[in-house]
Amino acid sequence: MTSVSDPISEIEESAMRELGRVSDSSQLEAWRHGYLGRKGKLTRVLRGLADLPLEERRSLGAEANRIKLRLQAAYQEQRARLEQDRVAKVTEGERLDVTLPGPPLPRGSLHPITQTLRDVLEAFENMGFQVVEGPEIEWDYYNFEALRIPADHPARDMWDTLWIDHEGDGRRSMLLRTHTSPNQIRIMEHTQPPIRVVVPGKCYRFEATDPTHEWMMTQVEGLAIDDGISMADLKGTLTEFARRIFGEERSVAFRCDYFPFVEPGMELRIDCFICRGEGCRTCGRTGWIEILGAGMVHPEIIANAGYDPDRYTGFAFGLGIERIALLRHGVDDIRHFYANDLRFLQQF
Ligand code: DAH
């Protein structure tokens, strides 16, 4: 006796066999289409049930439904397995352990001159000075004339100058500023007292380099003008500055010096780091190291600015950042700062 259930158990068997061989999602879809799709083999059997006598319809229908559910479940299972395999393959080559520390990033640092400049400016800002800037290319007028250094004045020898022949006629009226002092004039031109500023900037000198001289350097100019400013203010401000930058225990000393734009002029010295005042090679056996020039603003400059010289007085100072960085870090040659040797720079 042939049983009507034969072809459908065959369908079940072959379906399960083929499903076992399916190895990607397009094969899987083709399989589903072939058995469970609208025109699939099993679907056709289920449709044919309607034509059968009641008895057969019952038993065959139950069996066909069981097979349908089994194939559907098997389909879902196979689909999940294929998806798992696919994900496993993709991530195989790129496994990521999120608990591992990342590769270290090399950290840069500020140039030692920038560090010292920022510290110096911060010290003055904390004492109430404002930071302003001026041009590196300057007129003879601001760099020299207005600072009481006329063309034939022997004091011009203090600054070896890089001139700019801007008209091409050899006339000397423009230059690379040799110091930041021209900013004293520039500020006074457009400001009324009280004035309390510091001006950082690059300066240039036409000179041969050696361990203590470079053709480019960084200066900070200071200027304070007000009713009744005295030499005591100058000494107090600069002594406080030296202690903030070099340490509380520093000794400072003022000594007469000459600069055409101040009267009197002076230099500030601190006791030598190396020998603590005994006298050594670094300090030229004097026990002292000069760190800046300063003085009381010349009354003629006050008057030229249009301020009342009977009422207003002021002090000015100029310091070299490279000099201070050398002293702070015990560097023996100023030229290291601009040689761009990373072995040197990475030490700061
Ligand atoms: N400009 C001077 C120089 O480069 C330094 C200086 C001295 C600045 C005395 C001043 C000052 O403001 O009062 O050598």
Side-chain angles (χ1 to χ4, degrees):
M1 191 181 108
T2 54
S3 157
V4 271
S5 71
D6 276 349
I8 79 160
S9 62
E10 262 169 44
I11 290 174
E12 180 180 13
E13 244 175 64
S14 69
M16 291 307 287
R17 212 180 317 115
E18 283 171 33
L19 187 62
R21 290 201 286 264
V22 157
S23 63
D24 65 35
S25 59
S26 67
Q27 286 173 11
L28 181 66
E29 284 318 301
W31 177 91
R32 192 182 64 84
H33 194 69
Y35 288 98
L36 300 166
R38 249 181 335 119
K39 292 180 183 160
K41 287 181 189 160
L42 190 63
T43 315
R44 268 204 303 249
V45 171
L46 285 162
R47 281 221 194 95
L49 288 175
D51 305 331
L52 295 176
L54 181 63
E55 193 72 356
E56 279 181 43
R57 201 193 307 166
R58 273 228 184 101
S59 64
L60 195 58
E63 178 69 355
N65 269 323
R66 183 192 61 76
I67 295 173
K68 184 181 173 187
L69 291 175
R70 185 178 177 209
L71 293 190
Q72 276 173 343
Y75 165 82
Q76 292 299 348
E77 233 174 76
Q78 182 72 344
R79 201 164 84 140
R81 194 172 315 127
L82 287 177
E83 179 60 14
Q84 254 178 23
D85 289 354
R86 192 186 64 80
V87 171
K89 242 187 228 135
V90 169
T91 54
E92 185 68 46
E94 46 196 65
R95 213 169 285 155
L96 180 68
D97 182 350
V98 293
T99 66
L100 283 177
L105 286 175
R107 267 185 76 175
S109 59
L110 292 174
H111 191 279
I113 296 303
T114 306
Q115 289 179 27
T116 297
L117 178 61
R118 289 193 182 179
D119 292 345
V120 166
L121 293 178
E122 192 183 308
F124 283 115
E125 281 178 293
N126 289 339
M127 289 190 270
F129 284 77
Q130 202 186 339
V131 179
V132 296
E133 288 183 295
E136 287 179 33
I137 293 175
E138 192 49 283
W139 296 101
D140 178 304
Y141 172 76
Y142 291 104
N143 197 85
F144 291 130
E145 285 285 338
L147 289 166
R148 305 184 68 256
I149 315 165
D152 51 0
H153 197 288
R156 287 228 175 175
D157 293 347
M158 293 167 77
W159 298 275
D160 299 303
T161 307
L162 285 155
W163 293 96
I164 294 169
D165 187 3
H166 71 292
E167 304 264 32
D169 59 1
R171 256 191 329 157
R172 296 181 148 195
S173 55
M174 268 198 146
L175 44 80
L176 292 179
R177 69 179 172 201
T178 61
H179 51 182
T180 43
S181 300
N183 292 294
Q184 293 186 30
I185 308 298
R186 288 186 171 274
I187 289 156
M188 286 188 241
E189 266 182 354
H190 60 75
T191 322
Q192 288 301 310
I195 293 173
R196 238 184 317 176
V197 292
V198 279
V199 189
K202 297 247 163 62
C203 305
Y204 304 84
R205 305 255 172 111
F206 181 49
E207 58 188 333
T209 64
D210 68 29
T212 55
H213 294 90
E214 258 288 8
W215 54 267
M216 181 185 80
M217 70 198 140
T218 314
Q219 287 193 344
V220 172
E221 193 78 13
L223 179 69
I225 296 180
D226 202 357
D227 201 337
I229 285 198
S230 73
M231 185 101 99
D233 297 310
L234 166 58
K235 291 173 89 169
T237 303
L238 294 180
T239 303
E240 180 58 23
F241 161 74
R243 300 226 161 108
R244 287 187 186 199
I245 290 295
F246 294 107
E248 280 299 322
E249 69 291 355
R250 286 262 80 85
S251 302
V252 299
F254 292 88
R255 219 171 75 139
C256 264
D257 201 349
Y258 172 71
F259 300 96
F261 34 91
V262 282
E263 180 56 38
M266 61 186 69
E267 64 172 34
L268 172 65
R269 308 161 125 204
I270 56 176
D271 57 327
C272 178
F273 297 76
I274 313 285
C275 64
R276 300 270 153 197
E278 297 276 305
C280 68
R281 248 186 49 192
T282 305
C283 58
R285 320 234 166 264
T286 62
W288 295 98
I289 293 176
E290 185 204 331
I291 61 164
L292 57 82
M296 299 304 292
V297 178
H298 199 288
E300 216 174 280
I301 289 178
I302 300 264
N304 285 346
Y307 308 155
D308 177 358
D310 292 328
R311 179 172 173 204
Y312 290 111
T313 47
F315 66 78
F317 58 86
L319 55 89
I321 294 295
E322 285 78 6
R323 171 47 92 72
I324 290 176
L326 284 176
L327 295 172
R328 281 177 116 193
H329 300 298
V331 174
D332 60 5
D333 194 323
I334 194 173
R335 292 171 294 188
H336 287 315
F337 286 127
Y338 298 113
N340 265 344
D341 185 336
L342 285 180
R343 289 168 305 175
F344 172 77
L345 295 174
Q346 276 164 351
Q347 296 175 58
F348 300 94

